[in-house]
């Protein structure tokens, strides 16, 4: 897959799955602007690591939960790269707790950071994509959006909302050759999963037919496929990258 000359925005690209996506797109020849919320050093490391591919890599501190910040980010990408072809909505947080213990703020914060951010960046990116009659949008959901998960009502609701949003916007934009798809990762090695103890990891692996936890690169390669010319006839779909957890 060759993305040479394409211009992309990746939200939440300083670590984990987001970082892997930035590096994968850059390795395919894509210019990438990625956002981060607070991890300045991590963002600088991604910039440095990606420069070897010879493409333009820009990091921008941005709060994806705010529409005004999303608009500024898209404008910055248009000014820096001269266009925008690809949007990957990856930014997100978790604030887990049982429903009876979950505060209203914890519910609102997760919905805003995970779901409203997708609205913010998609709305801001669509105008240039519609104008050029081309665009590729990939939204990162989660396996728990399908299965549910106790202690994560806010997170599950936000990720399930992303799936519904993806399908609605895919239908709205298809006539302009803009595809919109979602990826539902299973358990992937990230900062969050590294905190699990061995007993918790073993319990997770027992739920996975492939008997292993995924890597961020497993998700990044599917993103690369969905934004490539090889996926021109795919839109409104949810791709499960979960080792077989959901069949």
């Amino acid at each position: 897959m060759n993305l040479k000359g394409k211009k992309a925005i990746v939200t939440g690209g300083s670590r984990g799955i987001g970082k892997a996506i930035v590096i994968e797109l850059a390795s395919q020849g894509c210019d990438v602007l990625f956002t981060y919320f607070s991890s300045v050093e991590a963002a600088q490391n991604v910039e440095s690591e990606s420069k070897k591919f010879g493409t333009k890599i820009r990091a921008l501190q941005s709060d994806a939960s705010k529409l005004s910040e999303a608009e500024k980010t898209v404008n910055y990408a248009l000014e820096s790269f001269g266009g925008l072809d690809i949007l990957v909505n990856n930014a997100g947080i978790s604030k887990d707790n049982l429903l009876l213990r979950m505060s209203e703020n914890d519910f609102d914060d997760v919905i805003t950071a995970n779901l409203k951010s997708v609205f913010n960046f998609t709305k801001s990116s669509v105008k240039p994509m519609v104008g050029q009659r081309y665009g590729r949008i990939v939204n990162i959901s989660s396996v728990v959006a399908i299965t549910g998960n106790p202690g994560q009502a806010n997170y599950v609701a936000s990720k399930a909302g992303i799936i519904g949003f993806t399908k609605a916007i895919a239908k709205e934009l298809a006539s302009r050759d803009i595809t919109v798809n979602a990826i539902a990762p299973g358990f992937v090695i990230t900062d969050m999963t590294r905190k699990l103890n061995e007993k918790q990891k073993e319990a997770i692996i027992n739920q996975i037919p492939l008997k292993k936890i995924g890597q961020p690169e497993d998700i990044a390669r599917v993103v690369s496929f969905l934004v490539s010319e090889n996926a021109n006839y795919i839109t409104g779909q949810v791709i499960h990258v979960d080792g077989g957890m959901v069949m």
Side-chain angles (χ1 to χ4, degrees):
M1 288 175 284
N2 188 337
L3 300 175
K4 188 174 182 180
K6 299 299 185 184
K7 323 294 183 183
I9 290 176
V10 178
T11 67
S14 65
R15 61 181 65 199
I17 291 172
K19 175 183 177 180
I21 293 169
V22 172
I23 292 172
E24 173 67 21
L25 294 182
S27 74
Q28 298 296 330
C30 190
D31 294 333
V32 184
L33 168 64
F34 70 92
T35 70
Y36 65 97
F37 184 65
S38 59
S39 307
V40 177
E41 185 177 351
Q44 290 173 341
N45 289 338
V46 177
E47 279 187 303
S48 299
E49 192 171 340
S50 303
K51 284 181 179 177
K52 64 185 177 184
F53 300 113
T55 62
K56 296 178 182 177
I57 305 296
R58 302 283 188 273
L60 184 66
Q61 192 166 25
S62 176
D63 183 350
S65 69
K66 296 180 179 178
L67 178 59
S68 60
E69 293 281 298
E71 291 171 341
K72 289 178 182 178
T73 302
V74 170
N75 287 335
Y76 182 76
L78 293 173
E79 292 169 4
S80 299
F81 300 154
L84 178 62
D85 306 295
I86 296 164
L87 170 66
V88 183
N89 285 305
N90 170 74
I93 63 171
S94 62
K95 292 187 177 182
D96 299 346
N97 217 330
L98 296 174
L99 181 62
L100 289 175
R101 298 174 184 170
M102 185 178 293
S103 70
E104 182 181 9
N105 284 340
D106 284 350
F107 187 87
D108 290 346
D109 288 348
V110 171
I111 294 294
T112 301
N114 296 5
L115 180 55
K116 187 170 183 289
S117 64
V118 176
F119 163 80
N120 291 341
F121 269 87
T122 304
K123 179 178 174 62
S124 301
S125 301
V126 160
K127 187 174 181 180
M129 290 182 177
V130 166
Q132 66 194 14
R133 300 186 70 86
Y134 178 88
R136 298 290 178 262
I137 300 172
V138 179
N139 300 321
I140 306 300
S141 179
S142 171
V143 65
V144 299
I146 309 300
T147 64
N149 203 35
Q152 286 194 309
N154 49 2
Y155 186 80
V156 171
S158 70
K159 293 299 186 177
I162 287 173
I163 291 176
F165 181 88
T166 296
K167 291 178 177 293
I169 302 307
K171 289 187 174 181
E172 286 188 26
L173 300 177
S175 64
R176 301 304 179 101
D177 195 20
I178 300 172
T179 65
V180 189
N181 292 289
I183 295 176
F187 288 97
V188 176
I189 297 296
T190 63
D191 290 345
M192 284 190 287
T193 54
R194 286 190 186 96
K195 297 175 184 177
L196 300 173
N197 60 43
E198 290 305 314
K199 187 176 181 179
Q200 290 170 319
K201 289 180 182 178
E202 184 179 352
I204 289 170
I205 289 172
N206 285 336
Q207 301 175 50
I208 305 171
L210 285 180
K211 299 302 178 187
K212 61 182 178 179
I213 296 177
Q215 299 293 329
E217 291 75 18
D218 294 323
I219 312 304
R221 284 189 286 268
V222 179
V223 171
S224 181
F225 165 70
L226 287 174
V227 302
S228 75
E229 299 305 307
N230 293 335
N232 279 346
Y233 204 51
I234 301 174
T235 195
Q237 303 304 305
V238 182
I239 311 298
H240 298 274
V241 187
D242 59 13
M245 287 185 68
V246 176
M247 293 189 183

